[in-house]
Amino acid sequence: MNPLISGLNDKVVLITGGASGIGLACAQALAASGAQVVCADLQQTQDLPQSCEFRKLDVSSESMTNELVADVLARHGRIDGLVTSAGLSRVGDLESMTLQEWDQVLQVNLTGTMLSIRAVANLMKQRKQGSIVTLASINGILGNPSNLAYCTSKGAVIQMVRSLAADLGPHGVRINAISPGLIHTPMTAGLDQSPAYNGFVKQHLLHRAGQAHEVGNAIAFLLSDMSSFITGTNIPVDGGFSAAKVIEMY
Ligand SMILES: NC(=O)c1ccc[n+]([C@@H]2O[C@H](COP(=O)([O-])OP(=O)(O)OC[C@H]3O[C@@H](n4cnc5c(N)ncnc54)[C@H](O)[C@@H]3O)[C@@H](O)[C@H]2O)c1
């Protein structure tokens, strides 16, 4: 049991994209705190803690998402928390990106996030409680060249969170975004081969990339009752990346 994160014991939490990277680290933190965790993903993994369930899901499918949520409800009786970590990135600017790539990124990162939230929101409203955490990005706060669809999708997620906080807040349901900086996960594997990698890492004020569990812990906090007066916000977990533009003049 993780004594630092209280109030998660027995909470039922659904994590999309829970089979890898940040979603998986979140599942591990929650399981260690006594939560009942359901990980939904396109792909299975051997690394899930034994107490976590795995369910296959494509977040861009409304019917699959609704069926999964109905099933979790039938078997657990409630859903206390939702984490939307399913996501993907495609490199490309206005000229090099295909329309198919644009559609795919927005379909998963933005529409998929909305569909997952829509599937659980009414259940949470009826119980007058619940916490939703979406994965945005520093690329949703700041522009980044050649990453047009991804930046657009993550900026939209941050704004969706603000809008939904206004809709859900009066019903006792909280929703927040987390914006990670560069985190070591399968999504970012191979980036260290780029000549720009060291410069990118140095823009993080802590001069290192983050680990997935450092984001998972922040998500666990937002799901717990320890964050009971926090809603509608976007919390960078980025080693200070979004706090300063480092210009070494002196
Ligand atoms: N790793 C980083 O540096 C970083 C930085 C900022 C934001 N993020 C965001 O955090 C989230 C998690 O990223 P990660 O680094 O853990 O990536 P990851 O690739 O390790 O994990 C993403 C998971 O999402 C799943 N997924 C993709 N499309 C799906 C779909 N249609 N339906 C269901 N599952 C699907 C994948 O199978 C994978 O298991 C993403 O939304 C990502 O954009 C990551």
Side-chain angles (χ1 to χ4, degrees), residues 13 34 36 44 47 53 55 60 64 71 77-79 82 90 122-123 138 147 154-155 157 182 188-189 200-201 219 239:
V13 181
Q36 302 176 47
Q44 173 62 290
D47 297 332
E53 290 171 36
R55 305 300 304 274
S60 63
M64 223 176 156
D71 187 61
R78 65 186 194 281
I79 297 179
L82 169 71
R90 294 284 175 267
N122 269 337
L123 307 171
I138 50 171
N147 210 358
K154 295 301 186 178
V157 164
L182 176 62
T188 55
F200 181 27
V201 169
I219 298 170

Side-chain angles (χ1 to χ4, degrees), residues 2-34:
N2 183 346
L4 288 177
I5 305 169
S6 66
L8 282 168
N9 196 29
D10 242 18
K11 280 198 194 289
V12 179
V13 181
L14 173 62
I15 306 175
T16 72
S20 177
I22 292 167
L24 175 59
C26 178
Q28 289 162 341
L30 294 177
S33 303

Side-chain angles (χ1 to χ4, degrees), residues 120-221:
V120 302
N122 269 337
L123 307 171
M124 291 181 171
K125 278 163 73 174
Q126 283 160 19
R127 294 181 60 232
K128 295 226 157 275
Q129 57 180 290
S131 176
I132 299 167
V133 183
T134 69
L135 269 297
S137 171
I138 50 171
N139 289 338
I141 304 171
L142 300 161
N144 183 29
S146 294
N147 210 358
L148 181 61
Y150 186 78
C151 289
T152 304
S153 71
K154 295 301 186 178
V157 164
I158 293 169
Q159 187 61 359
M160 182 163 70
V161 161
R162 296 187 186 113
S163 182
L164 283 172
D167 286 336
L168 299 176
H171 301 278
V173 179
R174 299 185 297 112
I175 178 165
N176 293 285
I178 291 264
S179 282
L182 176 62
I183 309 295
H184 290 298
T185 70
M187 181 182 274
T188 55
L191 283 188
D192 56 354
Q193 300 307 307
S194 161
Y197 182 78
N198 287 340
F200 181 27
V201 169
K202 251 188 118 179
Q203 291 291 325
H204 296 69
L205 304 183
L206 294 176
H207 282 196
R208 65 174 177 88
Q211 301 292 334
H213 74 266
E214 295 179 287
V215 185
N217 288 342
I219 298 170
F221 166 71

Side-chain angles (χ1 to χ4, degrees), residues 72-120:
V72 173
L73 187 65
R75 280 153 18 81
H76 293 272
R78 65 186 194 281
I79 297 179
D80 300 298
L82 169 71
V83 180
T84 63
S85 191
L88 49 85
S89 179
R90 294 284 175 267
V91 173
D93 62 11
L94 269 184
E95 283 159 27
S96 62
M97 175 192 73
T98 65
L99 183 56
Q100 193 187 16
E101 287 168 331
W102 168 265
D103 284 342
Q104 187 189 20
V105 171
L106 289 177
Q107 192 66 30
V108 174
N109 295 4
L110 181 57
T111 306
T113 298
M114 182 278 292
L115 289 174
S116 298
I117 295 168
R118 188 154 72 170
V120 302

